mmCIF file of all heavy atoms in Angstrom:
data_model
loop_
_atom_site.group_PDB
_atom_site.id
_atom_site.type_symbol
_atom_site.label_atom_id
_atom_site.label_comp_id
_atom_site.label_asym_id
_atom_site.label_seq_id
_atom_site.Cartn_x
_atom_site.Cartn_y
_atom_site.Cartn_z
ATOM 1 N N LEU A 21 -56.220 119.882 -72.644
ATOM 2 C CA LEU A 21 -55.819 119.621 -73.970
ATOM 3 C C LEU A 21 -54.367 119.016 -73.920
ATOM 4 O O LEU A 21 -53.519 119.511 -73.197
ATOM 5 C CB LEU A 21 -55.717 120.992 -74.819
ATOM 6 C CG LEU A 21 -55.160 120.848 -76.243
ATOM 7 C CD1 LEU A 21 -56.058 119.915 -77.132
ATOM 8 C CD2 LEU A 21 -55.063 122.198 -76.815
ATOM 9 N N PRO A 23 -50.925 117.421 -76.115
ATOM 10 C CA PRO A 23 -50.258 117.543 -77.455
ATOM 11 C C PRO A 23 -50.843 116.611 -78.457
ATOM 12 O O PRO A 23 -51.106 115.436 -78.188
ATOM 13 C CB PRO A 23 -48.807 117.179 -77.099
ATOM 14 C CG PRO A 23 -48.688 117.552 -75.632
ATOM 15 C CD PRO A 23 -49.969 117.246 -75.010
ATOM 16 N N ARG A 30 -66.745 125.864 -79.204
ATOM 17 C CA ARG A 30 -67.923 126.697 -79.600
ATOM 18 C C ARG A 30 -67.881 127.916 -78.739
ATOM 19 O O ARG A 30 -68.113 127.923 -77.549
ATOM 20 C CB ARG A 30 -69.210 125.906 -79.324
ATOM 21 C CG ARG A 30 -70.506 126.559 -79.912
ATOM 22 C CD ARG A 30 -71.582 125.545 -79.916
ATOM 23 N NE ARG A 30 -72.885 126.023 -80.398
ATOM 24 C CZ ARG A 30 -73.803 126.417 -79.679
ATOM 25 N NH1 ARG A 30 -73.790 126.361 -78.340
ATOM 26 N NH2 ARG A 30 -74.914 126.893 -80.192
ATOM 27 N N PHE A 32 -68.782 131.829 -77.590
ATOM 28 C CA PHE A 32 -69.877 132.846 -77.641
ATOM 29 C C PHE A 32 -69.519 134.125 -76.875
ATOM 30 O O PHE A 32 -70.183 135.174 -77.125
ATOM 31 C CB PHE A 32 -71.179 132.278 -77.091
ATOM 32 C CG PHE A 32 -71.067 131.734 -75.647
ATOM 33 C CD1 PHE A 32 -71.342 132.608 -74.594
ATOM 34 C CD2 PHE A 32 -70.652 130.473 -75.440
ATOM 35 C CE1 PHE A 32 -71.197 132.134 -73.270
ATOM 36 C CE2 PHE A 32 -70.615 129.994 -74.107
ATOM 37 C CZ PHE A 32 -70.851 130.850 -73.016
ATOM 38 N N ARG A 41 -59.953 135.729 -82.998
ATOM 39 C CA ARG A 41 -59.707 136.528 -84.225
ATOM 40 C C ARG A 41 -58.307 137.071 -84.287
ATOM 41 O O ARG A 41 -57.738 137.037 -85.315
ATOM 42 C CB ARG A 41 -60.810 137.605 -84.343
ATOM 43 C CG ARG A 41 -62.118 137.151 -84.721
ATOM 44 C CD ARG A 41 -63.136 138.236 -84.645
ATOM 45 N NE ARG A 41 -64.396 137.922 -85.300
ATOM 46 C CZ ARG A 41 -65.552 138.623 -85.110
ATOM 47 N NH1 ARG A 41 -65.507 139.778 -84.414
ATOM 48 N NH2 ARG A 41 -66.675 138.240 -85.742
ATOM 49 N N ASP A 47 -51.679 134.522 -86.901
ATOM 50 C CA ASP A 47 -51.184 133.110 -87.149
ATOM 51 C C ASP A 47 -50.438 132.592 -85.870
ATOM 52 O O ASP A 47 -49.309 132.136 -86.056
ATOM 53 C CB ASP A 47 -50.408 133.019 -88.430
ATOM 54 C CG ASP A 47 -50.142 131.496 -88.803
ATOM 55 O OD1 ASP A 47 -50.918 130.633 -88.424
ATOM 56 O OD2 ASP A 47 -49.065 131.263 -89.441
ATOM 57 N N VAL A 52 -54.479 126.663 -73.856
ATOM 58 C CA VAL A 52 -55.611 126.006 -73.117
ATOM 59 C C VAL A 52 -55.071 125.629 -71.752
ATOM 60 O O VAL A 52 -54.139 124.860 -71.714
ATOM 61 C CB VAL A 52 -56.167 124.799 -73.879
ATOM 62 C CG1 VAL A 52 -57.204 124.121 -72.981
ATOM 63 C CG2 VAL A 52 -56.867 125.303 -75.181
ATOM 64 N N GLU A 68 -54.626 126.116 -63.858
ATOM 65 C CA GLU A 68 -53.632 125.191 -63.490
ATOM 66 C C GLU A 68 -52.277 125.659 -63.973
ATOM 67 O O GLU A 68 -52.168 126.546 -64.964
ATOM 68 C CB GLU A 68 -53.921 123.796 -63.985
ATOM 69 C CG GLU A 68 -55.126 123.120 -63.346
ATOM 70 C CD GLU A 68 -54.888 122.624 -61.982
ATOM 71 O OE1 GLU A 68 -53.819 122.782 -61.429
ATOM 72 O OE2 GLU A 68 -55.843 122.102 -61.351
ATOM 73 N N PHE A 77 -56.976 125.270 -86.784
ATOM 74 C CA PHE A 77 -56.865 124.798 -88.180
ATOM 75 C C PHE A 77 -58.172 124.830 -88.941
ATOM 76 O O PHE A 77 -58.235 124.604 -90.142
ATOM 77 C CB PHE A 77 -56.190 123.388 -88.152
ATOM 78 C CG PHE A 77 -57.158 122.345 -87.626
ATOM 79 C CD1 PHE A 77 -58.066 121.657 -88.400
ATOM 80 C CD2 PHE A 77 -56.923 121.931 -86.279
ATOM 81 C CE1 PHE A 77 -58.811 120.646 -87.855
ATOM 82 C CE2 PHE A 77 -57.781 120.923 -85.757
ATOM 83 C CZ PHE A 77 -58.666 120.250 -86.515
ATOM 84 N N ALA A 106 -58.318 144.259 -69.430
ATOM 85 C CA ALA A 106 -59.464 145.005 -68.997
ATOM 86 C C ALA A 106 -60.755 144.229 -69.325
ATOM 87 O O ALA A 106 -61.772 144.391 -68.572
ATOM 88 C CB ALA A 106 -59.522 146.330 -69.693
ATOM 89 N N VAL A 147 -67.104 105.989 -90.692
ATOM 90 C CA VAL A 147 -67.054 107.414 -91.173
ATOM 91 C C VAL A 147 -65.957 107.558 -92.287
ATOM 92 O O VAL A 147 -66.231 108.197 -93.205
ATOM 93 C CB VAL A 147 -66.839 108.341 -90.081
ATOM 94 C CG1 VAL A 147 -66.832 109.795 -90.550
ATOM 95 C CG2 VAL A 147 -67.906 108.156 -89.009
ATOM 96 N N LYS A 182 -58.920 116.566 -62.578
ATOM 97 C CA LYS A 182 -57.650 116.688 -61.815
ATOM 98 C C LYS A 182 -56.706 115.556 -62.266
ATOM 99 O O LYS A 182 -55.418 115.709 -62.382
ATOM 100 C CB LYS A 182 -57.915 116.595 -60.304
ATOM 101 C CG LYS A 182 -56.741 117.023 -59.453
ATOM 102 C CD LYS A 182 -56.460 118.481 -59.556
ATOM 103 C CE LYS A 182 -55.349 118.916 -58.665
ATOM 104 N NZ LYS A 182 -55.128 120.406 -58.733
ATOM 105 N N THR A 198 -48.409 103.810 -68.408
ATOM 106 C CA THR A 198 -48.550 102.840 -67.326
ATOM 107 C C THR A 198 -49.790 103.205 -66.456
ATOM 108 O O THR A 198 -50.596 102.288 -66.128
ATOM 109 C CB THR A 198 -47.314 102.756 -66.526
ATOM 110 O OG1 THR A 198 -46.197 102.278 -67.273
ATOM 111 C CG2 THR A 198 -47.454 101.824 -65.318
ATOM 112 N N ILE A 200 -52.315 105.023 -67.469
ATOM 113 C CA ILE A 200 -53.553 104.805 -68.271
ATOM 114 C C ILE A 200 -53.890 103.395 -68.341
ATOM 115 O O ILE A 200 -55.043 103.030 -68.313
ATOM 116 C CB ILE A 200 -53.227 105.448 -69.693
ATOM 117 C CG1 ILE A 200 -53.299 106.963 -69.621
ATOM 118 C CG2 ILE A 200 -54.260 104.858 -70.740
ATOM 119 C CD1 ILE A 200 -54.686 107.500 -69.390
ATOM 120 N N LEU A 204 -57.460 101.581 -67.662
ATOM 121 C CA LEU A 204 -58.127 100.697 -68.664
ATOM 122 C C LEU A 204 -58.529 99.366 -68.045
ATOM 123 O O LEU A 204 -59.581 98.825 -68.336
ATOM 124 C CB LEU A 204 -57.228 100.512 -69.859
ATOM 125 C CG LEU A 204 -57.002 101.799 -70.750
ATOM 126 C CD1 LEU A 204 -55.941 101.469 -71.781
ATOM 127 C CD2 LEU A 204 -58.324 102.231 -71.398
ATOM 128 N N GLN A 207 -61.393 99.807 -65.586
ATOM 129 C CA GLN A 207 -62.687 100.053 -66.218
ATOM 130 C C GLN A 207 -63.068 98.906 -67.130
ATOM 131 O O GLN A 207 -64.014 98.905 -67.885
ATOM 132 C CB GLN A 207 -62.621 101.374 -67.036
ATOM 133 C CG GLN A 207 -62.459 102.565 -66.150
ATOM 134 C CD GLN A 207 -62.594 103.840 -66.948
ATOM 135 O OE1 GLN A 207 -63.105 103.928 -68.021
ATOM 136 N NE2 GLN A 207 -61.923 104.886 -66.407
ATOM 137 N N GLN A 208 -62.219 97.801 -67.050
ATOM 138 C CA GLN A 208 -62.462 96.505 -67.768
ATOM 139 C C GLN A 208 -62.408 96.667 -69.275
ATOM 140 O O GLN A 208 -63.058 95.908 -69.982
ATOM 141 C CB GLN A 208 -63.728 95.839 -67.249
ATOM 142 C CG GLN A 208 -63.709 95.532 -65.784
ATOM 143 C CD GLN A 208 -64.967 94.821 -65.329
ATOM 144 O OE1 GLN A 208 -66.042 94.970 -65.910
ATOM 145 N NE2 GLN A 208 -64.854 93.962 -64.297
#
Side-chain angles (χ1 to χ4, degrees):
L21 176 62
R30 188 167 180 260
F32 59 90
R41 283 175 170 167
D47 190 27
V52 171
E68 293 284 359
F77 66 87
V147 180
K182 198 68 178 179
T198 295
I200 284 293
L204 292 171
Q207 298 183 25
Q208 298 183 333

